[in-house]
Amino acid sequence: MFFSSVVENPYVVIVVIATIVKLLLIPSYLSTDFDVHRNWLAITHNLPFSHWYFEATSEWTLDYPPFFAYFEWLLAQAAAVVDADPSMLAISAAPYRSPATIWFQRLTVIFSDALLVWAVYRYTRTLDPRRDPPTAADSLGALQRKTPPDDRLRHRTTRLVASEPARAVATDSSGDRVWPASSWLDDTRLVVFAVVVLNPGLFIVDHIHFQYNGFLLGILILPPSLLRVARPLARSVAFRGAPAVH
C-alpha cells in the first residue's frame, strides 16, 4: 500500500530516480575539487575561524565566503561523529583519498541536495499547474462572469461545452489541481521540478567532478518562492541571505 502510493506520486519518483543516479556515480572520476573540499574539512575542524583563511599547508587553501566555510565546518563535525577514517580530517600537503573519505564526501553532496529539492518544490507550488491554453469552456465561463446573461450566448456556450472532450480534473485538500498519471507532462510544476532535480549538469559537476552547486542553487531558488507567499519575515531573511552565500 505504501509503495504503491509512493510510486503514484511523480515528485517522489523523480527524487528516487535522481538519488539512484547519484549513488551510482559515487565510484566515478574524482577531480582536484574533491581534494579541495577534503582539505577544507580538515582546516575548519582543526583550526579556529581566525586561522581558516591563512592555513597554507596544502595548496588548496580556503577561499570561499564564511557561510560556505561554516557549512564545511558542519560537515567536518559530522565526519568527526561518524569517525569512519580519522585521517580524513588531518591537515596535510598531499591529497588524501580513502574509501571512507570518498563515500562520506559523496554522500554529503547527495544529502545537501535535499535543500534544492525542497526549494524547487516550494517554488513550483506557486506556479500555475496548467501549461496548456484555456479551453473554450474556460474562456466562455470567464466571459459569462463578466457579461450580463443572454439567452443566445447561453445557448452557444452550452453547445460548445458539450462538443468538447471531457477532461478529468480533480483537486487535493489544498485546492491544487491534481492531474492523472497520463497527464503528468501537462503539469508545469512537475516539468519544472523534473528539469531542475534531474539536471544532467548538476549530476556531472556535483556528483562526478565534485562540488555543492545543488545546495547553493537551492538557497538561490528559495527566496523567489518565499517572495510569492505572504511570509514577510521568512522571505526577507532568505532574500538578504542568498547573496551572502554566493
Side-chain angles (χ1 to χ4, degrees):
M1 185 69 177
F2 173 77
F3 180 77
S4 61
S5 62
V6 168
V7 171
E8 290 175 358
N9 188 323
Y11 293 93
V12 175
V13 172
I14 291 170
V15 173
V16 169
I17 293 174
T19 303
I20 292 174
V21 172
K22 295 169 187 177
L23 291 172
L24 292 174
L25 293 174
I26 286 179
S28 61
Y29 154 81
L30 294 174
S31 71
T32 54
D33 273 349
F34 179 88
D35 303 316
V36 170
H37 287 279
R38 205 286 309 172
N39 189 56
W40 292 356
L41 290 177
I43 290 175
T44 56
H45 177 72
N46 293 285
L47 301 174
F49 176 76
S50 59
H51 290 73
W52 287 0
Y53 290 94
F54 300 96
E55 163 54 42
T57 301
S58 168
E59 63 178 311
W60 313 121
T61 56
L62 180 56
D63 56 4
Y64 270 33
F67 176 92
F68 195 87
Y70 274 108
F71 172 68
E72 292 280 356
W73 178 83
L74 288 174
L75 297 181
Q77 305 314 302
V81 171
V82 174
D83 196 23
D85 184 352
S87 298
M88 182 195 314
L89 297 176
I91 297 177
S92 62
Y96 181 77
R97 297 179 178 181
S98 68
T101 302
I102 294 172
W103 272 89
F104 176 80
Q105 289 192 238
R106 290 289 197 191
L107 289 176
T108 60
V109 180
I110 295 175
F111 281 112
S112 66
D113 279 350
L115 179 61
L116 173 64
V117 172
W118 179 62
V120 175
Y121 181 78
R122 282 192 59 89
Y123 181 75
T124 58
R125 293 296 89 189
T126 67
L127 301 177
D128 185 348
R130 196 174 58 182
R131 68 182 175 92
D132 56 326
T135 62
D138 295 334
S139 301
L140 289 171
L143 180 62
Q144 282 183 312
R145 289 191 294 270
K146 296 180 180 180
T147 57
D150 181 84
D151 290 340
R152 288 174 297 175
L153 179 60
R154 186 182 300 111
H155 178 66
R156 292 174 184 173
T157 302
T158 303
R159 284 194 306 171
L160 187 52
V161 171
S163 65
E164 279 202 350
R167 184 170 59 183
V169 176
T171 57
D172 59 17
S173 58
S174 62
D176 289 333
R177 194 165 186 170
V178 178
W179 295 82
S182 60
S183 302
W184 284 359
L185 292 179
D186 292 329
D187 190 334
T188 304
R189 300 178 301 186
L190 185 59
V191 172
V192 171
F193 184 82
V195 166
V196 176
V197 175
L198 298 176
N199 190 313
L202 289 177
F203 287 158
I204 295 171
V205 176
D206 284 5
H207 302 279
I208 296 179
H209 182 78
F210 196 87
Q211 287 186 17
Y212 292 91
N213 291 291
F215 168 72
L216 297 175
L217 182 60
I219 296 177
L220 190 63
I221 293 175
L222 194 56
S225 68
L226 296 175
L227 286 171
R228 296 168 71 98
V229 297
R231 294 181 181 177
L233 179 60
R235 66 192 186 190
S236 176
V237 172
F239 184 76
R240 292 293 183 182
V245 176
H246 294 77

